[in-house]
Amino acid sequence: MIFKSKVDIWMGAIFIAVPLAMIYGVITEPDAILMLITALIIVLFATLFFGTKYIIEDKVLIIYGGIFKKRIPIEQIRSLRPSKNPFSAPALSLDRIEITFDDPYSGITLVSPKDKEAFVKKLLEVNPNIKLVS
């Protein structure tokens, strides 16, 4: 099952305003290096904007955040809780879910699925031992 990331208005504005401002700069003062940098940033933004999603497949949660991919066995997920944490995460909204799981390096990640209830329900179907923290 695929869950797309929720997008806040301010995040959408950033994904539109920054590339437009850079394109304006390239048009008004053409420069090969600036054109290359602008193209790379637009590709990066597009990859993040259109590539952030969460897939629950078999017993694994696969998190795509742009070019990055993280696999979390759902059996290792310990708890879920609502979060407004602004730190970097594969989430395009501040209306997030903090996932705590067994991992010696990074046992917490943040996601922002559009349909949070269906997302949580699907995780609980696979692992009913997940604690819901409010």
Side-chain angles (χ1 to χ4, degrees):
M1 180 171 249
I2 298 174
F3 294 90
K4 295 297 278 177
S5 180
K6 179 179 177 182
V7 181
D8 284 340
I9 291 174
W10 65 269
M11 187 66 81
I14 290 171
F15 277 95
I16 292 170
V18 171
L20 286 177
M22 294 186 77
I23 290 170
Y24 175 78
V26 168
I27 291 170
T28 57
E29 294 187 34
D31 178 23
I33 293 175
L34 186 57
M35 286 182 196
L36 178 63
I37 292 170
T38 299
L40 290 173
I41 289 176
I42 289 172
V43 167
L44 173 66
F45 273 34
T47 304
L48 287 171
F49 191 76
F50 295 109
T52 301
K53 62 186 172 189
Y54 320 107
I55 299 175
I56 298 174
E57 190 175 88
D58 298 323
K59 295 185 177 202
V60 178
L61 169 60
I62 306 167
I63 301 171
Y64 289 91
I67 60 172
F68 299 103
K69 177 177 163 183
K70 184 175 200 163
R71 299 173 66 85
I72 301 171
I74 297 173
E75 291 299 321
Q76 291 184 2
I77 296 176
R78 297 291 156 235
S79 67
L80 304 172
R81 77 176 182 102
S83 175
K84 300 283 186 196
N85 186 334
F87 288 113
S88 179
L92 301 176
S93 169
L94 287 179
D95 185 16
R96 299 172 171 188
I97 297 172
E98 179 183 282
I99 300 174
T100 305
F101 58 98
D102 295 334
D103 186 327
Y105 302 105
S106 63
I108 295 176
T109 193
L110 298 164
V111 296
S112 62
K114 277 185 185 177
D115 189 349
K116 292 188 336 184
E117 289 180 20
F119 179 79
V120 170
K121 183 179 177 184
K122 188 69 176 170
L123 290 175
L124 288 171
E125 285 176 13
V126 177
N127 181 359
N129 297 320
I130 295 173
K131 293 179 187 171
L132 300 178
V133 181
S134 51

